[in-house]
Amino acid sequence: MRCMFKYLRIELTHLLLLIVCMMPFIGKSENIISLFPKDCVVPDSILGKVYSSASMYSNEVKGFKANLYLKGVVTVHHRNRIIKYIPSMFKLEDSISNYMHESISELQYTAPSIYDRKIKAMVSTFKSQKGHVFDIMDYIKFNIYSSSLMGDKVMSPLNNQSKIHYKYILDSRTVIDNKNCYKIRVQPRYKSTKLVEGYIWLYADDWSVYSFDFSGEYDLVDFRIKAFMGNTPQTKYLPCYMDLDMHFRFLKNHLQMRYSGWLDYTEVKFAEQGEVMRLKKDRNKYNLSSSYTLTCDTSRLVTDIDSFSRMRPFPLTDEEELMYKDKIERRIEDRQKQIQDSIDNLSKPKSQVFLGQVGDALINSYDIDLPKVGSINCSPIINPLLLSYSHRNGISYRQSYKYNNLFYDGRLLRIAPQIGFNFTKKELYAKVDAEYVYNPRKHGAVELHVGNGNRIYSSVVLDQLEAMPDSTFSFDGLNLDYFKDIYVNLSHNIEILNGFSLWTGLSMHWRYTKSTPELDARVRSRYNSFAPRLRVEWTPGMYYYMNGNRKVNVGSYYPTFIADYERGIRVFKSSGGYERLELSAEQVIKVRNIHHIAYHIGCGFFLNQEDMYFVDYINFSNRNLPQGWNDDIGGTFQMLDSRWYNASSHYVGGNMTYESPFILLYPVSKLLSFIQKERIYAGILFMPHLNPYFEVGYGIGTHIFDAGIFVGNERGKFTSIGCKFTFELFNK
C-alpha cells in the first residue's frame, strides 16, 4: 500500500504549476448581469460587426510556434467483433474499458492554412502505439475566425457567407474581466454534418471571442469542442485551452474519447498593416520550406513512460497514474500467456493451427513498419467495403497493397500491387506500380508499371466504322475481335524546373486472342508493340517545401498542362507503326472555402498509322480499376459504351465535377444529417459517329459510401441512364 501511495504522489511544485497554467481560464470573473427573452434574435447591427471583425481577425496572425500537450481518455462503452476489422483502430483488450493517451508536440502555423506538427513524445496504455479512429489535428486546426473550421470540414458561424445556414439567439450579457460580453446561441437551420451548434462568448468592445462551445457530427464521430482564447496581446486571437468530447459509433460499437489540449505559444507573428494574408505569386515565394521546418527534424520519438513523465507539463490524477501501472502488469501477463500458447500449439494438429492462421489473414488488416526494410500496408482480403457497382461494368472488387521504404537521404522505394475482379465480365485484373526516387530534390525517379489492361479490338474496326453512316450505325452489326492485353511501361522522370517535368520511357504491349480459321483470315492472333514515349508536364507557380533532401510539391493556383507523345516502331518483332499524341489540362479549384470545381479537358490523335494498330489512349480510357478526383466516380464517362474508347483515331472531350455541401438537397433537412457532400457531374465528347456525346450526373458523398446517377445523351437523344456506387467507409 505504501508503494502505491508513493507511486501516485503529486509533488507540490507540480500542483503550483498546474494552478498557474490554469489561471487564465479559472480565474476570470463571469457575472451574468442580464438575461434576454427566450429566442431573442441577434440584431443585424450586431451580426454585421461580428462578421466584419471576424474577417479582420482571421488575418491578424501571420504565423506562430507552440508546444502542444494532449491528454485523453478513451472509454469503450460497447463493442463487438466487428471493431477488430476497422482499419487503423487501436488494438483493444477484452477486459479493459478505459485507456490513457498522451502526446507532446511542436506545432507551427503559417497563414493562410499551413499547419506543421512534429510529435516529440507519445505514450498510451494501448497494447500498441499504432492506430487511431480519427485525426485529432482536425480539431486542433480550429481558427474560430476563419470562414471554415476543422480543415475545411465545417462552415464557421462567424462567416458572412454562412449566415443563411445559421440562427443566432441572444442568451445573456455577462461581465468578464470588467468587460461586457455577449453569450450568443448558434443554431443550424437544419441538421447537417457541415454545421455546428452551441454557444459563443464575444467581447462587446471589439467583438473578439472569449470562448466557444460547439458540437457537431462528422463521419462517424459526434464531437463537442470547448475552447478558451488567450488573455494576452500575443494570444488574444488564438486558443490556449481546448476540451474535446467525441463519441465514435459504428454498428453498435460505441467509443468515447475525452481529450484536453494545452497550447504554450513560444512565438506569434502578426500581419503588418495592410498585408494581405495569402501566398504571393512571385518566384521567391514558391519555396515554403520555412513553414515546414518541423518535419525536417528527425530526432527520436520518446515513447517510454518514465521519459515522458519528466516532460509532462502537468501531473496526472491518481486514476490516470493507476491506468499506466495496470498496463505494465498486463504486459507481464501477456508475455507469460504467449509462452503458454506456444507450448499448447505444439500439442495441436498442424492443420488446425494453419487454418487458424489463414482465417486471421483473411479478416485482419496489416500495417507493418520495419526500420531496415520499410512499411507494408494492406487491408483485409475479405473486405466488403472494397466492392463497387456501376451500370456499365456491374459489380467489381479491388484490393491494394502498399510497400514504402524511405531512406535516410530522402530516396524512396514504393511498390503498390493492385488486383481487381469484375463479377459481371468474369475478368481478373492485376497491376503492379513500382517507383524508385533516386533524386528527391528534383523528383528524379525510375518507374515500372506492369499489368493486364482492358480487352481491346484492333484498328481494323475503324475501317468498318468509317464506311458506316451515322443513321445506320450500330456496334452490334460489327464483327469485333477482342484482344487481351499485357503491358509493361518503363519510364524515367525528372523535374527540370520547378513545376516542369520531363517524362521519357518505353511502352510495350503483348496483345493476343484465341486463334481460329475465321480470325486468321482477317488478322493475326498475336500482336506486339514497342513504343518510345515522351511526356511533358507543366504546372506554373508550383508551391513546394523541402523535407530534408526531398522536395514536396504543395499545389498551384494554375492548371497542369500535359503533352503525351508515343511512337510505335518496328523492333524486337513488334508489328505496326503509329503515332499517338494527347494534350490535356486539368485543375481542382477551391471556391468559397469548402466548395470545389475539378475539370479536365483534352484531345487525342493517332497519326501515321502503318499496318494494324490498337487505339489505346492514356487520358481517354475505360478504367477497370477506377480512380477519380475526390471520389472514384468523377473524371470519366460512366454511361459511355466501353467500345467507344477504341472506336476513333481522334477525340476531343472534357469532364467537370462541382462539389458542395448544399446543392439540391438544401430543402430536405433530414437527409443533410447523413449526406456530407453533393456533386454535379458533366462531360462532353466529340468523335466520329458521336457528335456530340453529353453526360450529366448527380452524386452524394457520405461517410459510408459515394453514389451517383447519370444520364447519357448521344447526338441529341437520351440513350441511357444508370448509377455508380462505391464504399468509402474508412477508405479516405
Side-chain angles (χ1 to χ4, degrees):
M1 180 67 73
R2 290 181 180 177
C3 293
M4 185 176 71
F5 280 115
K6 182 179 180 180
Y7 184 80
L8 298 175
R9 185 177 59 191
I10 301 177
E11 297 180 2
L12 179 60
T13 54
H14 286 173
L15 281 174
L16 293 175
L17 177 62
L18 177 62
I19 293 173
V20 171
C21 292
M22 291 299 296
M23 281 298 293
F25 314 115
I26 63 176
K28 294 192 175 186
S29 58
E30 183 175 346
N31 301 319
I32 299 177
I33 59 176
S34 63
L35 290 172
F36 293 99
K38 185 179 180 181
D39 297 333
C40 179
V41 179
V42 178
D44 291 339
S45 58
I46 293 181
L47 283 179
K49 295 178 181 178
V50 171
Y51 295 142
S52 61
S53 298
S55 177
M56 179 177 60
Y57 296 152
S58 65
N59 296 327
E60 282 292 320
V61 178
K62 182 179 181 180
F64 67 75
K65 292 181 180 179
N67 295 316
L68 170 64
Y69 170 59
L70 283 172
K71 180 177 70 173
V73 175
V74 178
T75 302
V76 182
H77 292 292
H78 191 272
R79 63 177 172 178
N80 51 40
R81 295 180 180 272
I82 296 175
I83 202 168
K84 295 182 179 180
Y85 312 132
I86 297 177
S88 301
M89 173 59 69
F90 284 115
K91 298 299 182 183
L92 303 177
E93 301 176 67
D94 293 337
S95 58
I96 307 301
S97 298
N98 293 295
Y99 300 87
M100 186 75 185
H101 184 267
E102 294 179 275
S103 69
I104 296 176
S105 309
E106 292 181 15
L107 186 65
Q108 177 174 290
Y109 166 78
T110 304
S113 58
I114 300 175
Y115 286 88
D116 186 27
R117 179 193 182 196
K118 174 185 169 291
I119 301 177
K120 298 169 57 180
M122 180 175 61
V123 293
S124 74
T125 62
F126 288 101
K127 196 170 184 178
S128 171
Q129 295 283 14
K130 296 182 179 179
H132 62 274
V133 181
F134 55 89
D135 187 359
I136 189 69
M137 278 304 298
D138 284 345
Y139 300 87
I140 302 300
K141 300 175 184 177
F142 215 102
N143 181 359
I144 187 61
Y145 298 110
S146 65
S147 56
S148 58
L149 310 175
M150 293 170 51
D152 294 341
K153 289 183 171 62
V154 176
M155 304 178 73
S156 172
L158 297 186
N159 182 254
N160 186 44
Q161 296 178 348
S162 304
K163 64 182 180 181
I164 61 174
H165 305 299
Y166 288 103
K167 293 189 294 184
Y168 303 87
I169 309 299
L170 277 174
D171 181 272
S172 60
R173 184 164 63 93
T174 62
V175 174
I176 301 176
D177 289 344
N178 298 320
K179 295 181 181 180
N180 285 330
C181 188
Y182 286 102
K183 181 181 179 182
I184 297 177
R185 179 157 53 101
V186 177
Q187 289 181 317
R189 295 185 179 275
Y190 33 80
K191 190 172 178 60
S192 171
T193 60
K194 292 293 184 180
L195 305 176
V196 294
E197 61 179 320
Y199 294 90
I200 188 168
W201 287 259
L202 295 163
Y203 288 115
D205 57 346
D206 60 358
W207 304 106
S208 62
V209 176
Y210 160 64
S211 68
F212 58 88
D213 183 351
F214 288 150
S215 61
E217 177 183 354
Y218 201 86
D219 284 345
L220 299 173
V221 176
D222 298 329
F223 66 88
R224 181 180 181 183
I225 179 169
K226 296 187 291 184
F228 290 88
M229 311 300 285
N231 64 341
T232 67
Q234 290 290 103
T235 62
K236 179 179 181 180
Y237 307 109
L238 299 169
C240 289
Y241 173 77
M242 307 178 79
D243 265 339
L244 306 174
D245 187 4
M246 290 153 284
H247 293 261
F248 171 82
R249 294 181 174 89
F250 175 66
L251 295 179
K252 296 186 178 180
N253 292 281
H254 179 196
L255 274 66
Q256 182 181 10
M257 293 146 284
R258 291 163 293 173
Y259 275 85
S260 296
W262 290 266
L263 290 111
D264 177 23
Y265 294 92
T266 58
E267 180 183 349
V268 179
K269 295 180 180 179
F270 292 93
E272 298 177 1
Q273 186 69 27
E275 182 179 359
V276 179
M277 293 311 303
R278 59 169 62 98
L279 297 174
K280 296 180 181 179
K281 302 178 180 61
D282 60 80
R283 183 173 301 176
N284 295 329
K285 294 294 182 179
Y286 293 147
N287 189 342
L288 306 178
S289 297
S290 60
S291 301
Y292 291 91
T293 55
L294 298 181
T295 28
C296 302
D297 191 345
T298 57
S299 59
R300 188 176 69 89
L301 176 67
V302 175
T303 57
D304 63 284
I305 297 176
D306 292 337
S307 299
F308 192 94
S309 298
R310 293 190 290 269
M311 303 173 63
R312 185 183 291 118
F314 308 128
L316 299 176
T317 64
D318 293 352
E319 181 182 0
E320 293 167 346
E321 289 273 12
L322 188 59
M323 293 172 67
Y324 281 113
K325 183 179 179 181
D326 290 341
K327 175 190 176 180
I328 297 174
E329 295 176 352
R330 292 198 304 270
R331 296 294 82 80
I332 296 174
E333 294 176 358
D334 288 343
R335 285 194 291 269
Q336 294 174 347
K337 185 177 183 299
Q338 289 174 0
I339 295 173
Q340 185 62 43
D341 289 343
S342 299
I343 296 174
D344 293 341
N345 284 335
L346 294 176
S347 61
K348 292 181 180 180
K350 293 184 178 180
S351 59
Q352 183 177 348
V353 176
F354 175 74
L355 290 175
Q357 294 172 344
V358 172
D360 292 340
L362 291 176
I363 60 179
N364 287 341
S365 59
Y366 297 92
D367 190 357
I368 305 171
D369 191 1
L370 303 175
K372 295 184 179 180
V373 178
S375 62
I376 301 173
N377 175 266
C378 62
S379 60
I381 296 176
I382 299 177
N383 190 349
L385 301 181
L386 297 176
L387 286 170
S388 64
Y389 170 80
S390 70
H391 177 79
R392 185 183 66 198
N393 293 325
I395 300 176
S396 300
Y397 177 85
R398 57 175 172 151
Q399 177 68 264
S400 60
Y401 306 89
K402 297 178 182 178
Y403 166 81
N404 293 281
N405 191 356
L406 181 62
F407 300 92
Y408 71 95
D409 57 355
R411 291 177 296 120
L412 173 67
L413 175 62
R414 179 187 296 115
I415 302 175
Q418 190 173 165
I419 61 173
F421 185 76
N422 188 290
F423 293 92
T424 304
K425 299 178 181 178
K426 297 181 180 180
E427 292 180 352
L428 177 69
Y429 302 104
K431 69 174 183 177
V432 177
D433 300 324
E435 179 186 22
Y436 175 62
V437 182
Y438 69 91
N439 185 352
R441 300 186 69 89
K442 290 289 187 178
H443 289 198
V446 178
E447 299 181 22
L448 176 66
H449 305 275
V450 181
N452 64 326
N454 296 302
R455 293 193 307 161
I456 190 173
Y457 49 83
S458 68
S459 61
V460 173
V461 177
L462 268 62
D463 299 331
Q464 303 177 49
L465 294 177
E466 292 176 357
M468 187 178 297
D470 291 347
S471 59
T472 62
F473 176 83
S474 174
F475 275 113
D476 297 332
L478 300 176
N479 188 6
L480 302 179
D481 299 314
Y482 282 103
F483 287 74
K484 295 182 179 180
D485 178 26
I486 296 177
Y487 65 86
V488 175
N489 293 327
L490 179 64
S491 63
H492 173 265
N493 179 69
I494 191 74
E495 190 177 46
I496 301 176
L497 300 172
N498 179 42
F500 186 86
S501 298
L502 179 63
W503 189 100
T504 56
L506 296 173
S507 177
M508 293 168 281
H509 290 264
W510 291 266
R511 296 184 172 99
Y512 61 95
T513 189
K514 185 178 180 180
S515 177
T516 62
E518 183 181 357
L519 174 71
D520 295 339
R522 299 190 306 273
V523 295
R524 298 191 302 272
S525 60
R526 293 183 179 274
Y527 286 86
N528 303 332
S529 66
F530 182 92
R533 185 178 164 195
L534 176 67
R535 179 185 176 96
V536 177
E537 186 172 321
W538 179 43
T539 305
M542 176 65 74
Y543 290 95
Y544 67 93
Y545 70 91
M546 299 301 299
N547 186 352
N549 288 327
R550 186 164 59 97
K551 183 187 180 192
V552 181
N553 289 337
V554 177
S556 172
Y557 293 103
Y558 300 100
T560 297
F561 301 95
I562 301 173
D564 198 309
Y565 174 77
E566 176 179 314
R567 179 180 176 86
I569 57 178
R570 296 178 179 272
V571 294
F572 304 119
K573 298 183 179 180
S574 62
S575 55
Y578 62 89
E579 292 182 56
R580 176 187 60 81
L581 175 64
E582 288 186 75
L583 306 173
S584 66
E586 57 188 22
Q587 187 180 16
V588 178
I589 305 173
K590 185 178 179 181
V591 183
R592 294 175 54 202
N593 306 307
I594 56 178
H595 307 260
H596 295 85
I597 294 178
Y599 70 86
H600 172 92
I601 56 175
C603 60
F605 310 89
F606 269 83
L607 308 170
N608 300 327
Q609 304 93 342
E610 299 176 11
D611 196 12
M612 195 187 81
Y613 63 100
F614 292 84
V615 180
D616 194 2
Y617 293 107
I618 301 298
N619 298 326
F620 177 58
S621 61
N622 179 28
R623 303 184 189 275
N624 46 43
L625 297 176
Q627 59 185 21
W629 285 308
N630 294 335
D631 59 350
D632 282 339
I633 297 179
T636 187
F637 296 97
Q638 294 293 342
M639 301 308 302
L640 184 65
D641 191 313
S642 60
R643 292 173 290 190
W644 281 113
Y645 289 95
N646 315 118
S648 175
S649 60
H650 64 274
Y651 76 91
V652 178
N655 296 89
M656 184 275 294
T657 298
Y658 173 66
E659 181 180 278
S660 172
F662 310 110
I663 301 180
L664 299 181
L665 296 181
Y666 186 90
V668 190
S669 59
K670 291 183 178 180
L671 291 178
L672 290 178
S673 62
F674 179 68
I675 295 172
Q676 295 179 342
K677 301 174 183 177
E678 296 181 75
R679 301 183 180 102
I680 297 294
Y681 304 99
I684 190 168
L685 175 66
F686 297 91
M687 59 189 302
H689 298 289
L690 206 62
N691 278 324
Y693 173 79
F694 186 72
E695 184 175 293
V696 294
Y698 168 78
I700 59 173
T702 74
H703 59 274
I704 298 178
F705 63 86
D706 283 350
I709 184 169
F710 298 85
V711 176
N713 185 302
E714 296 181 11
R715 298 184 296 272
K717 297 180 181 179
F718 290 100
T719 56
S720 57
I721 183 171
C723 61
K724 179 69 180 290
F725 180 94
T726 61
F727 278 106
E728 293 295 333
L729 186 61
F730 308 122
N731 290 332
K732 296 181 179 180

